[in-house]
Amino acid sequence: TGYGFDPGAPTGAYECVFSNPSTTEATPARPNGTKSLACASPEWSSPDREAEFGVRYLGAVLRLLPVRFSPEWTAYDPKFGDREGGINAGRSPAVTVSGYGFDSGKGYRCSFTASGGGASLNSTTQPAVDRNTVVCVPPVWDAATGWGAYATAQADLAVHEAGE
């Protein structure tokens, strides 16, 4: 949001620029009238999540503001697990979480919460495999729930950076 944007500017005249000392990423921007501009944030490749955001118009950066990128997960597989947790010789495979912005120098844990607000259990903290992958070993559910040995139940998944 700002002022003085030119909705009639040629395609490519505006860009959103995200930068820090090690990385600069730019994405196309388009004015939504004279007071706002729309652009997508990039898949951030720098391990340093602190950056500056600016708008570039015809090659000149107009203003810089601080921004912070956070990791984001977009998918996970498999969608099932064994109640005894762990990997149990392949009966309950580890959960592979895909996304972007993970830092292989930091640890992540998965939180599995029984749908409807029941028990919540965490995996052990593991380093990210790479910028796009975290692997979590499912916890043992039998001791923490009243589901019984043969019950099937749904659980919600959340991914947390160590220390969160």
Side-chain angles (χ1 to χ4, degrees), residues 14-56:
Y14 288 98
E15 288 182 302
C16 291
V17 180
F18 302 83
S19 64
N20 68 18
S22 67
T23 304
T24 297
E25 304 272 350
T27 60
R30 62 177 172 70
N32 292 327
T34 61
K35 294 184 180 180
S36 70
L37 194 71
C39 63
S41 60
E43 182 178 320
W44 192 238
S45 60
S46 172
D48 181 6
R49 296 191 183 138
E50 303 297 324
E52 291 184 321
F53 164 78
V55 174
R56 186 164 38 211

Side-chain angles (χ1 to χ4, degrees), residues 119-131:
S120 182
L121 299 172
N122 294 316
S123 67
T124 57
T125 300
Q126 300 290 328
V129 174
D130 56 35
R131 284 187 32 219

Side-chain angles (χ1 to χ4, degrees), residues 17-139:
V17 180
F18 302 83
S19 64
N20 68 18
S22 67
T23 304
T24 297
E25 304 272 350
T27 60
R30 62 177 172 70
N32 292 327
T34 61
K35 294 184 180 180
S36 70
L37 194 71
C39 63
S41 60
E43 182 178 320
W44 192 238
S45 60
S46 172
D48 181 6
R49 296 191 183 138
E50 303 297 324
E52 291 184 321
F53 164 78
V55 174
R56 186 164 38 211
Y57 178 63
L58 298 176
V61 176
L62 304 178
R63 184 164 181 206
L64 296 174
L65 300 169
V67 294
R68 177 171 171 75
F69 286 91
S70 298
E72 187 74 29
W73 65 275
T74 56
Y76 64 94
D77 191 60
K79 308 274 190 273
F80 65 91
D82 189 280
R83 67 184 172 77
E84 293 178 352
I87 53 173
N88 298 322
R91 280 193 359 233
S92 181
V95 176
T96 300
V97 179
S98 304
Y100 50 91
F102 299 122
D103 182 343
S104 58
K106 295 187 178 183
Y108 294 87
R109 66 179 167 77
C110 290
S111 175
F112 300 84
T113 304
S115 295
S120 182
L121 299 172
N122 294 316
S123 67
T124 57
T125 300
Q126 300 290 328
V129 174
D130 56 35
R131 284 187 32 219
N132 299 5
T133 311
V134 170
V135 175
C136 298
V137 176

